[in-house]
């Protein structure tokens, strides 16, 4: 069993700390504000204290704290240990943190889904020198851990590319459903969305890639008209307006396809 440290005992940190404890690992946690501590987790007074003697440290704070946490924790870690940063820091920050002086192997860990819904079963991607240590710790708990080849930051690069789709798609769906409600057509627009999300995903991607550039000029005008309609409904049209601008840019870049 490993001596594990979890820095940050919010929703994600508490979830992983509890799973590690249930698997029989010795878990120490630190969080300056979280009001509760998962059962079986020893709570340290400082982050550096929590890291003393740890085999592996899982950092689950907000990205804004990543540098400060690394600067405090890395000097406290013994040789052969692993420092796994689960924060949503940029690939550049992950590369920077991975180059800080330390006896520990650094790992960049990307959480690829909502922990609130999937708990410790949320898929993970990990990169950097400590990637295998993270996988060896978490896979026996039934966690889906994929190793991305490359230096620290490679895992987060994958996550941010995924966010282009997932966060953008979520925003578009919210905007469409809100517009449907305002127009008295919520159930109809919900069925349209559901139909588009079903079927052959690769075929849909190919259709979008081919058709968007080809019809960009016409679609930019249609999306501007759509944004105007949403304005009449009193619904914010951020995603629709952005789509109109994106299609206009594509039309300018692809004059031969007009």
């Amino acid at each position: 069993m490993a001596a594990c440290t979890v820095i940050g005992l919010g929703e994600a940190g508490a979830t992983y700390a509890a799973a590690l404890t249930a698997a029989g690992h010795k878990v120490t946690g630190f969080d300056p504000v979280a009001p509760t501590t998962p059962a079986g987790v020893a709570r340290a007074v400082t982050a550096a204290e929590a890291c003393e003697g740890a085999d592996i440290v899982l950092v689950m704070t907000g990205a804004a704290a990543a540098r400060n946490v690394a600067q405090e924790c890395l000097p406290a870690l013994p040789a052969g240990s692993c420092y796994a940063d689960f924060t949503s820091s940029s690939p550049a920050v992950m590369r920077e943190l991975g180059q800080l002086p330390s006896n520990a192997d650094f790992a960049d860990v990307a959480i690829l889904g909502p922990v609130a819904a999937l708990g410790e079963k949320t898929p993970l991607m990990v990169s950097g020198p400590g990637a295998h240590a993270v996988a060896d710790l978490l896979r026996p708990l039934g966690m889906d851990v994929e190793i991305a080849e490359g230096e620290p930051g490679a895992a987060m690069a994958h996550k941010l590319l995924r966010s282009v789709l997932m966060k953008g798609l979520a925003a578009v769906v919210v905007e469409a459903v809100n517009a449907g409600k305002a127009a008295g057509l919520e159930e109809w627009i919900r069925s349209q969305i559901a139909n588009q999300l079903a079927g052959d995903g690769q075929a849909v991607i190919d259709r979008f890639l081919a058709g968007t550039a080809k019809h960009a000029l016409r679609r930019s005008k249609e999306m501007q008209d759509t944004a105007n309609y949403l304005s009449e409904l009193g619904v914010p049209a951020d995603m629709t307006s952005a789509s109109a601008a994106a299609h206009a840019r594509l039309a300018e870049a692809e004059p031969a396809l007009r």
Side-chain angles (χ1 to χ4, degrees):
M1 293 294 103
C4 305
T5 294
V6 178
I7 305 295
L9 295 172
E11 182 176 66
T15 296
Y16 284 90
L20 289 166
T21 300
H25 296 287
K26 177 185 176 183
V27 181
T28 302
F30 170 75
D31 192 308
V33 296
T36 60
T37 305
V41 176
R43 190 153 174 168
V45 176
T46 67
E49 176 188 306
C51 293
E52 292 177 3
D55 296 314
I56 186 166
V57 175
L58 282 59
V59 180
M60 297 191 175
T61 66
R67 284 190 180 88
N68 289 339
V69 172
Q71 290 167 352
E72 180 177 355
C73 292
L74 286 172
L77 288 172
S81 60
C82 173
Y83 183 90
D85 190 320
F86 283 68
T87 71
S88 294
S89 300
S90 70
V93 170
M94 290 295 191
R95 288 192 295 271
E96 174 192 330
L97 299 183
Q99 293 171 1
L100 292 175
S102 174
N103 291 318
D105 290 330
F106 187 90
D108 153 33
V109 187
I111 302 176
L112 303 179
V115 175
L118 303 175
E120 71 273 14
K121 302 302 183 183
T122 307
L124 303 174
M125 180 174 284
V126 58
S127 63
H132 287 280
V134 175
D136 290 345
L137 174 72
L138 299 181
R139 281 174 176 167
L141 279 63
M143 299 186 191
D144 179 5
V145 183
E146 179 182 356
I147 295 177
E149 298 300 325
E151 62 183 348
M156 187 53 60
H158 284 76
K159 176 174 180 173
L160 295 185
L161 287 174
R162 181 178 183 273
S163 292
V164 176
L165 169 66
M166 299 306 295
K167 304 306 187 293
L169 177 60
V172 167
V173 168
V174 169
E175 188 165 294
V177 172
N178 286 339
K181 287 180 181 178
L185 296 169
E186 180 180 355
E187 292 307 314
W188 183 83
I189 194 62
R190 278 178 172 268
S191 68
Q192 291 292 305
I193 295 168
N195 288 339
Q196 289 298 316
L197 294 177
D200 185 343
Q202 291 294 341
V204 172
I205 293 170
D206 291 338
R207 176 164 56 84
F208 285 169
L209 290 173
T212 299
K214 182 177 181 180
H215 303 290
L217 183 62
R218 174 179 59 79
R219 290 178 181 178
S220 68
K221 176 62 168 63
E222 178 182 334
M223 293 309 291
Q224 187 55 60
D225 290 342
T226 304
N228 293 339
Y229 174 55
L230 265 59
S231 179
E232 294 172 9
L233 293 172
V235 175
D238 300 320
M239 301 303 293
T240 303
S241 295
S243 177
H247 280 85
R249 176 181 55 77
L250 286 171
E252 292 178 359
E254 299 287 347
L257 295 178
R258 294 183 184 182

